[in-house]
Amino acid sequence: NNTSQTAATKWDVTTTATPIKDVETKINAIAKEIGRRANTGSMGADVFSGLKDSDDILDRIKYTQTGIITADLLAAAMDLDNILIGERVKMTTADGIASETTAYIWGNYFLTSYVNPRNNRKSITHARTFTKRNAQVLMQEFEDKKLGGIYVEGALFYDHKIVSTISASLITDPVA
């Protein structure tokens, strides 16, 4: 279920790109596999920036909205319930290098997936966060006399797992 966009079909480069159709194709492929429509789109911040200027998206909303693309408008245009945009960055240079560079952690990807809104053990979903049964948040409190305050830390042990690979489809390099 993974595809890569060619230079001619990148969502932010050409006026003939069809991101809505590309995502709809992924939604239909997932529906044929698991019997449920994909409901979530996940992307890096660069992909979201590219989609905001896409003619395909702007044409879909130009007579109904202000023309400024938000995550909610993009979700509605692509017939998805949720759009997740990864905006956090990571350091990409090795330690000790004088000039530091950063990159978005979610990269240049668009993931279409079915995420079950009800979190029960036997339902199909793309990924799930597992915690120990009856797990409690471990709390620790300590006082900092130098700064004059009491600090509280909380910890919870969890594990993120992909549960079903057929309930998601990845588009790599959707923008230039």
Side-chain angles (χ1 to χ4, degrees):
N1 284 340
N2 299 340
T3 58
S4 181
Q5 295 297 100
T6 62
T9 61
K10 295 219 184 263
W11 294 347
D12 63 336
V13 173
T14 174
T15 58
T16 59
T18 56
I20 293 173
K21 181 76 173 152
D22 295 343
V23 171
E24 185 178 319
T25 300
K26 297 294 185 182
I27 290 170
N28 291 335
I30 292 168
K32 287 178 185 174
E33 288 285 335
I34 66 170
R36 292 179 175 88
R37 286 181 48 80
N39 59 1
T40 302
S42 307
M43 72 188 91
D46 288 332
V47 177
F48 183 63
S49 273
L51 280 173
K52 289 197 298 187
D53 294 328
S54 168
D55 289 342
D56 193 30
I57 303 291
L58 291 171
D59 285 346
R60 181 72 58 108
I61 67 154
K62 69 181 172 185
Y63 297 116
T64 60
Q65 300 293 330
T66 60
I68 299 170
I69 305 295
T70 62
D72 292 337
L73 282 176
L74 186 59
M78 293 185 163
D79 198 20
L80 295 167
D81 296 339
N82 302 309
I83 289 284
L84 306 174
I85 304 163
E87 296 177 330
R88 299 296 179 248
V89 294
K90 66 178 178 179
M91 187 78 61
T92 58
T93 52
D95 289 338
I97 304 294
S99 61
E100 299 173 344
T101 59
T102 58
Y104 289 111
I105 59 172
W106 283 13
N108 191 7
Y109 303 100
F110 189 95
L111 180 73
T112 307
S113 60
Y114 174 72
V115 178
N116 195 324
R118 294 183 187 88
N119 189 14
N120 60 31
R121 287 181 11 182
K122 296 187 179 187
S123 62
I124 193 163
T125 190
H126 172 62
R128 181 170 285 130
T129 300
F130 292 94
T131 57
K132 196 176 201 180
R133 187 180 302 246
N134 299 326
Q136 294 184 2
V137 177
L138 302 173
M139 301 301 290
Q140 181 180 1
E141 184 177 295
F142 59 94
E143 182 177 359
D144 187 342
K145 292 182 181 180
K146 187 184 278 186
L147 294 175
I150 295 176
Y151 296 89
V152 179
E153 287 182 349
L156 178 67
F157 297 100
Y158 56 87
D159 197 8
H160 302 295
K161 292 285 185 186
I162 293 177
V163 178
S164 169
T165 58
I166 61 173
S167 56
S169 187
L170 183 69
I171 299 173
T172 58
D173 297 324
V175 297

